[in-house]
Amino acid sequence: MDIPRIFNISESAHRIHNPFTPEKFATLGAVLRLEPGTRVLDLGSGSGEMLCTWARDYGITGVGIDMSQLFSEQAKLRATELGVADQVAFIHGDAAGYVTDEKCGVAACVGATWIGGGVAGTIELLKKSLYTHGIILIGEPFWRQLPPTEEVAKECFATAISDFLTLPELVATFDELGYDLVEMVLADQEGWDRYEAAKWLTMRRWLEANPEDDFAKEVRAQLTTAPNRHVAYTREYLGWGVFALMER
């Protein structure tokens, strides 16, 4: 079980696999008013930066699940590096359908709502692991501005304009599902730069080290097109944020 190889290559040097920066995750932890001992579930936990830094800074405990074997191993190393390996655990596995035996105060899926078939399904899945009056965290893209054509939408990692909502539409969806939006922290263009541009040096270094690899042609194609795609489309049209929800 693993994610597509291109992500394990292009994001192998990432600690955060979305457009958040360390400062944004610190802000999110602060505004959630996390208390020591709060148990956090993170579906699609990547390299574990959210859980590990929150364990260090706020004294939380928790578990993360991710399909990438590489990222799961990096998460365990990060926990050891920050001295929180006794507080957080990381599982290499499929987070779809995962429910904890021990209820959590915070249940998160930050940027991988495909796990539950979309926002509504992911919220329902996370709810199964949550204490009453606990907080659900959903990380989700939205349109900063609507693309003028379907072709532009496809350059923003969408299959169609309808794949993503505008921010007001996304917030209205939470309301329609019966949840109060109690906090939110939004990524900015600098965050997108850090997420996307960091891939380019990683891919270039990989190509230099693996010129004969059968996958080199695909990595080269990605590196050639990614910078223009990012500056022309992603950073202009696509927003992203983490939304804190509590059921009414």
Side-chain angles (χ1 to χ4, degrees):
M1 178 182 297
D2 211 335
I3 61 175
R5 191 182 181 195
I6 188 63
F7 297 109
N8 278 325
I9 292 173
S10 65
E11 298 187 29
S12 60
H14 283 51
R15 283 184 173 169
I16 299 172
H17 302 276
N18 58 58
F20 257 20
T21 59
E23 293 77 17
K24 292 287 186 179
F25 268 126
T27 296
L28 181 62
V31 299
L32 292 177
R33 308 169 199 175
L34 294 170
E35 297 181 358
T38 299
R39 183 169 174 81
V40 180
L41 170 67
D42 188 8
L43 300 184
S45 51
S47 295
E49 191 71 2
M50 184 177 81
L51 284 182
C52 289
T53 55
W54 285 2
R56 177 196 64 194
D57 298 339
Y58 304 110
I60 62 99
T61 65
V63 60
I65 301 91
D66 199 272
M67 286 184 68
S68 169
Q69 184 170 358
L70 172 63
F71 299 165
S72 298
E73 290 302 316
Q74 289 178 337
K76 294 174 184 177
L77 292 173
R78 184 63 167 156
T80 299
E81 178 186 359
L82 296 185
V84 296
D86 60 335
Q87 295 169 245
V88 291
F90 294 96
I91 299 168
H92 171 229
D94 187 354
Y98 184 89
V99 178
T100 57
D101 294 328
E102 184 179 348
K103 295 291 187 181
C104 299
V106 177
C109 182
V110 178
T113 56
W114 51 266
I115 286 171
V119 169
T122 301
I123 288 173
E124 280 301 304
L125 173 60
L126 293 170
K127 179 182 173 182
K128 296 176 182 178
S129 297
L130 198 66
Y131 281 123
T132 302
H133 305 310
I135 292 176
I136 286 175
L137 297 181
I138 292 290
E140 186 71 3
F142 57 86
W143 294 121
R144 293 180 65 240
Q145 54 178 318
L146 281 175
T149 66
E150 296 290 351
E151 288 70 26
V152 170
K154 291 175 182 178
E155 295 290 346
C156 300
F157 308 106
T159 60
I161 294 174
S162 59
D163 281 2
F164 305 137
L165 302 173
T166 65
L167 183 57
E169 290 170 340
L170 181 57
V171 170
T173 296
F174 300 140
D175 178 62
E176 292 163 4
L177 292 171
Y179 283 82
D180 289 324
L181 177 62
V182 296
E183 259 295 357
M184 69 178 189
V185 179
L186 303 183
D188 54 24
Q189 289 175 305
E190 169 64 15
W192 274 115
D193 292 344
R194 297 281 40 81
Y195 175 48
E196 292 296 328
K199 300 176 186 178
W200 308 337
L201 180 58
T202 300
M203 288 191 286
R204 177 57 189 262
R205 293 289 189 241
W206 186 90
L207 286 168
E208 291 171 353
N210 301 275
E212 304 303 322
D213 193 288
D214 291 341
F215 203 62
K217 184 177 180 179
E218 181 165 342
V219 175
R220 163 44 62 192
Q222 288 269 358
L223 177 56
T224 300
T225 60
N228 184 68
R229 179 179 184 170
H230 171 61
V231 299
Y233 301 109
T234 310
R235 78 189 311 272
E236 297 304 317
Y237 290 97
L238 198 57
W240 197 89
V242 179
F243 304 87
L245 311 173
M246 296 180 70
E247 190 174 21
R248 296 196 187 108

